[in-house]
Amino acid sequence: MQFSGQNNSINLAGNGGFTMSGLSSGVPYVEEEPEETQIISDGQGGFVNQHGSVINEQGHLIDENGELINKEGQRVNEEDVLIDEQNRPINENGVLIDSTGVPINEDGTLKQDIVNEDGTISNADGTTKNVDGTVSHPDGRIVQLDGSVMHPDGTIAHPNGSITQPDGTVVEPEKKYGQPLVTVDTVSITDIKNSQSMIAMLDSMIQAVDSKRAELGAVQNRFSSTVNNLSSISENVSAARSRVRDADYAAETASLTSSQIIQQASSTILAQANQRPQAALKLLGA
């Protein structure tokens, strides 16, 4: 059983099996516990670990001279602190440090920052603060103001984990996902541990479904609000268009009636005006 893989999916291959993809968007990453070192005899009086690296009887990495080293091959003491040729503790820049990691001088006094004539500052930890605010390390690394680190080979490591290659290519950071408590080969509810793991996995799946439903519900609400808003706008536009283009039937009817009354009155007055001269002529003729 797996969840939060590279494609952001949940895949249960045991007990019937089903797959849900794109649901577990927020499963936290759980740092794996350090692998316990296995001390294996090499048959020649020495020891190696399960990866074939040479170690001592206590399981610590050693070089060909039997001195303690770290994974990068640098000499360290029993507390895994870097040491110089005189076995004195130093930091990654080769500066002497005390038991608390504070830079010190050869005589044991605290090392101080030094302001140079060119405006740069030689920090006590062995780095140099440049005039532009960047910090240079003895190994050639330059820490930019935004926290990105420019390496001597031209690569730039950004704070978000991405890396810009010298040719400008950007390599996105590797995603880390939560580790499953139960694998395909061990899907079982026959003991307490696996049962609890199965319940935890199912809870994660339910939470993933709930989260996706909430996301879809929020999107649906936004769509509904947009549709309602557009409907209101369409109604208002139609009403405005109607007021501009459509005739007012009542007003036009009243205007027509008024025109008809005026026309009829005018005809009546004209007829009466024509009758008056005729009446006068009749009186004169008589």
Side-chain angles (χ1 to χ4, degrees):
M1 184 172 186
Q2 299 176 347
F3 63 96
S4 278
Q6 188 172 1
N7 294 326
N8 195 22
S9 63
I10 299 177
N11 180 17
L12 176 61
N15 291 344
F18 60 89
T19 299
M20 293 189 295
S21 299
L23 295 178
S24 55
S25 58
V27 178
Y29 172 71
V30 179
E31 193 72 34
E32 293 184 359
E33 296 182 359
E35 183 181 5
E36 183 178 356
T37 301
Q38 298 181 16
I39 303 175
I40 306 172
S41 174
D42 61 2
Q44 299 178 359
F47 302 92
V48 295
N49 59 19
Q50 62 269 33
H51 304 294
S53 301
V54 180
I55 58 176
N56 58 14
E57 294 182 2
Q58 289 73 37
H60 202 293
L61 293 174
I62 59 175
D63 59 13
E64 62 276 5
N65 298 321
E67 297 181 340
L68 302 181
I69 58 174
N70 57 19
K71 293 181 179 180
E72 288 73 30
Q74 300 169 305
R75 296 179 65 248
V76 295
N77 57 22
E78 294 181 353
E79 288 76 28
D80 284 332
V81 178
L82 295 175
I83 57 176
D84 61 7
E85 295 180 354
Q86 302 177 24
N87 297 330
R88 298 177 299 180
I90 57 176
N91 63 11
E92 62 174 358
N93 300 318
V95 177
L96 290 176
I97 58 175
D98 60 14
S99 58
T100 62
V102 177
I104 58 176
N105 297 308
E106 294 285 343
D107 58 1
T109 59
L110 295 180
K111 196 175 183 63
Q112 303 294 331
D113 297 341
I114 301 176
V115 180
N116 303 313
E117 295 182 356
D118 59 359
T120 61
I121 300 176
S122 297
N123 297 320
D125 61 0
T127 61
T128 301
K129 185 175 183 179
N130 303 313
V131 179
D132 58 0
T134 60
V135 178
S136 300
H137 288 253
D139 59 4
R141 291 176 296 151
I142 299 178
V143 180
Q144 306 294 329
L145 297 178
D146 61 354
S148 59
V149 180
M150 179 179 293
H151 294 272
D153 60 358
T155 59
I156 301 176
H158 301 282
N160 63 354
S162 62
I163 298 177
T164 301
Q165 302 289 358
D167 60 358
T169 304
V170 178
V171 180
E172 295 298 330
E174 180 182 358
K175 295 182 180 180
K176 294 183 178 181
Y177 302 93
Q179 299 297 323
L181 299 177
V182 182
T183 64
V184 174
D185 297 330
T186 60
V187 172
S188 174
I189 56 174
T190 57
D191 55 47
I192 296 177
K193 181 179 179 181
N194 281 343
S195 298
Q196 292 176 341
S197 298
M198 288 295 297
I199 293 174
M201 297 295 272
L202 291 176
D203 287 341
S204 298
M205 296 167 69
I206 293 173
Q207 292 175 3
V209 173
D210 291 341
S211 175
K212 186 60 64 175
R213 290 180 62 186
E215 293 177 8
L216 294 177
V219 173
Q220 183 177 3
N221 290 337
R222 289 197 294 269
F223 275 128
S224 299
S225 177
T226 302
V227 169
N228 293 335
N229 185 37
L230 292 177
S231 298
S232 177
I233 292 174
S234 177
E235 183 178 353
N236 293 336
V237 170
S238 298
R241 179 181 180 185
S242 176
R243 287 193 295 269
V244 173
R245 300 190 60 179
D246 295 350
D248 189 336
Y249 186 80
E252 295 299 331
T253 301
S255 177
L256 176 61
T257 303
S258 176
S259 299
Q260 290 176 346
I261 292 173
I262 292 174
Q263 183 179 7
Q264 292 175 3
S266 299
S267 300
T268 302
I269 294 173
L270 181 60
Q272 291 177 357
N274 291 334
Q275 290 177 0
R276 288 180 180 181
Q278 294 177 0
L281 290 175
K282 288 180 179 181
L283 291 175
L284 292 174

